[in-house]
Amino acid sequence: MNVFKQIYQIAIRECRYMWRNPIYGFCLVVFPLIVVAFFTTLMGEGVPTDMPCGVVDEDHTATTRALERRLDAFQTTKIVAYYDNVDEARDAIQKGDIYAFLYIPDGTTKKLVRGDQPKISFYYSSVVMVAGNMLFRDLKTISSLGSAAVGIQKLSAIGKTSREIQAFLQPIAIDLHMIENPWANYNVYLSTSMLPGILLIFTFLLTPYSLGTELKFNRSKEWMRMADNNVFVALTGKLLPQTLILLCVFYSYLFYVFGYLDFPHPGGLGRILLLGTLVVLACQSFGVFAFGLMPSLRMSMSICSLWSVVSFSVCGATFPLTSMDPPIQAMAQLFPLRHYYMIYQMNIFNGFPLSDAAFNWGCLVLFLVLPIFVLRNIKRAMLLYVYIP
């Protein structure tokens, strides 16, 4: 019972410091709420619409103008400018005025009619990956529609029926299905991969910060004395208030995206809550481990900052990990966000059994035991080290 009393007293002490220091309020509550609101409303429509596109039309015929009207009718594309030549359109892309442009050379319609297979070109920028990929899709579609329109006219002229024409132009019909996200809602992919990573950055940074400030403000001996020099009790009491607040914020985010926004989650509520709990505790444990390796406020926060930022690149949300070099694939297992993303994809988004992600669940649990290896070092630092500005 004395241990629980010590934990309680240390937790109350930590709450007082958190109340006096605005950094905790901003990093635990204000900034996470702003981030959640920003990212989930950034693509509130699900798919970006009316992205600026240009046209270089050197043919100036009714056929090419019809192609341009069809392109402009697409939901994601909006023709905002016509250019006299390719150089002007390329400069517009480089300035950021447009994301892509369609180039129709002179004589395109005549070649279509003669069956000479004319070439039209489309240029797009992948600096903004989503915009570039979606405009590429629209430009490719409109090119196919243009050639199909001419083919329909030719086949109709020689007396082919609609069914024969369809079979000739598209001998194999494609039935396309997007698993669990048939609306192609990019918000589902963005807000479930980027947002947890950003929220976990605050967890990574606040953990070594709260430990380092004990040394910086010469409070470490008092803190250890309250725990009878039991570093496990001291850490538990100190991190308990932060853990509860972080879990509340993370659960609020999860309920917002999966409950209110109704993102696909056939895996169920239990897995969502378990994953949220494990990943927050894993990030806190890594923060304690980083501080134990280097009991310095600046060095431990630098390690955690680097670790949290690199995790975006190796988690696999933006680029498949299997396409990276083998050393990077191995190193990626050292980042909690990687395991969070894999568990989310397999057990929550697709609803596969927990056993399919047993390795990732196990890795998150292993993160929880990391502080055990540095408890003695943390105790020595709190009792003996002197903070050097």
Side-chain angles (χ1 to χ4, degrees), residues 40-49 75 130 134 181 183-189:
T40 53
T41 57
L42 179 64
M43 298 183 68
E45 297 295 327
V47 178
T49 59
Q75 181 183 8
V130 173
M134 298 192 73
N181 188 14
W183 320 276
N185 187 339
Y186 277 82
N187 200 14
V188 170
Y189 304 122

Side-chain angles (χ1 to χ4, degrees), residues 284-335:
Q284 281 190 304
S285 299
F286 184 87
V288 174
F289 179 72
F291 182 83
L293 288 179
M294 292 187 176
S296 165
L297 177 63
R298 285 171 295 192
M299 290 302 298
S300 58
M301 288 190 68
S302 297
I303 293 173
C304 289
S305 176
L306 175 64
W307 217 255
S308 59
V309 171
V310 174
S311 62
F312 285 100
S313 302
V314 298
C315 72
T318 55
F319 189 83
L321 186 65
T322 52
S323 300
M324 300 182 188
D325 293 335
I328 298 179
Q329 295 183 33
M331 188 181 68
Q333 312 310 322
L334 303 177
F335 296 84

Side-chain angles (χ1 to χ4, degrees), residues 70-309:
R70 290 179 182 177
L71 177 62
D72 195 39
F74 287 153
Q75 181 183 8
T76 54
T77 303
K78 182 176 179 60
I79 297 177
V80 296
Y82 291 84
Y83 302 97
D84 295 330
N85 53 63
V86 173
D87 291 336
E88 291 183 6
R90 186 173 61 246
D91 289 340
I93 284 185
Q94 293 172 345
K95 292 177 182 176
D97 297 334
I98 58 177
Y99 293 123
F101 70 88
L102 177 68
Y103 171 55
I104 305 175
D106 186 23
T108 298
T109 303
K110 291 181 181 179
K111 291 180 180 180
L112 273 173
V113 174
R114 293 199 306 261
D116 291 343
Q117 196 177 22
K119 292 183 179 180
I120 64 175
S121 306
F122 41 86
Y123 300 79
Y124 64 99
S125 171
S126 289
V127 174
V128 181
M129 187 171 59
V130 173
N133 290 341
M134 298 192 73
L135 285 175
F136 167 76
R137 182 192 64 187
D138 286 356
L139 290 168
K140 186 176 181 180
T141 301
I142 202 64
S143 303
S144 302
L145 289 176
S147 59
V150 175
I152 290 173
Q153 292 178 359
K154 287 186 174 182
L155 293 173
S156 297
I158 61 176
K160 296 294 183 179
T161 65
S162 299
R163 187 169 183 177
E164 290 173 330
I165 292 172
Q166 183 178 3
F168 179 80
L169 294 177
Q170 190 180 20
I172 298 177
I174 299 174
D175 190 12
L176 181 65
H177 298 276
M178 293 187 68
I179 298 176
E180 300 298 344
N181 188 14
W183 320 276
N185 187 339
Y186 277 82
N187 200 14
V188 170
Y189 304 122
L190 176 70
S191 295
T192 53
S193 59
M194 297 295 293
L195 264 178
I198 296 175
L199 295 178
L200 295 177
I201 287 178
F202 298 116
T203 307
F204 268 118
L205 294 179
L206 278 177
T207 303
Y209 172 80
S210 61
L211 297 177
T213 51
E214 294 290 341
L215 288 174
K216 180 177 181 178
F217 298 114
N218 198 25
R219 304 192 305 249
S220 59
K221 292 182 177 61
E222 173 203 349
W223 173 42
M224 294 301 296
R225 187 168 56 251
M226 294 180 66
D228 289 337
N229 291 337
N230 187 326
V231 66
F232 179 79
V233 173
L235 285 172
T236 303
K238 184 169 187 61
L239 297 179
L240 182 60
Q242 295 180 38
T243 304
L244 295 177
I245 297 175
L246 287 167
L247 287 176
C248 287
V249 172
F250 208 83
Y251 287 158
S252 299
Y253 150 73
L254 293 173
F255 278 113
Y256 178 62
V257 296
F258 293 117
Y260 181 76
L261 298 181
D262 198 24
F263 285 0
H265 55 286
L269 178 62
R271 298 179 182 183
I272 293 174
L273 296 180
L274 178 60
L275 178 57
T277 302
L278 272 182
V279 75
V280 168
L281 295 178
C283 290
Q284 281 190 304
S285 299
F286 184 87
V288 174
F289 179 72
F291 182 83
L293 288 179
M294 292 187 176
S296 165
L297 177 63
R298 285 171 295 192
M299 290 302 298
S300 58
M301 288 190 68
S302 297
I303 293 173
C304 289
S305 176
L306 175 64
W307 217 255
S308 59
V309 171

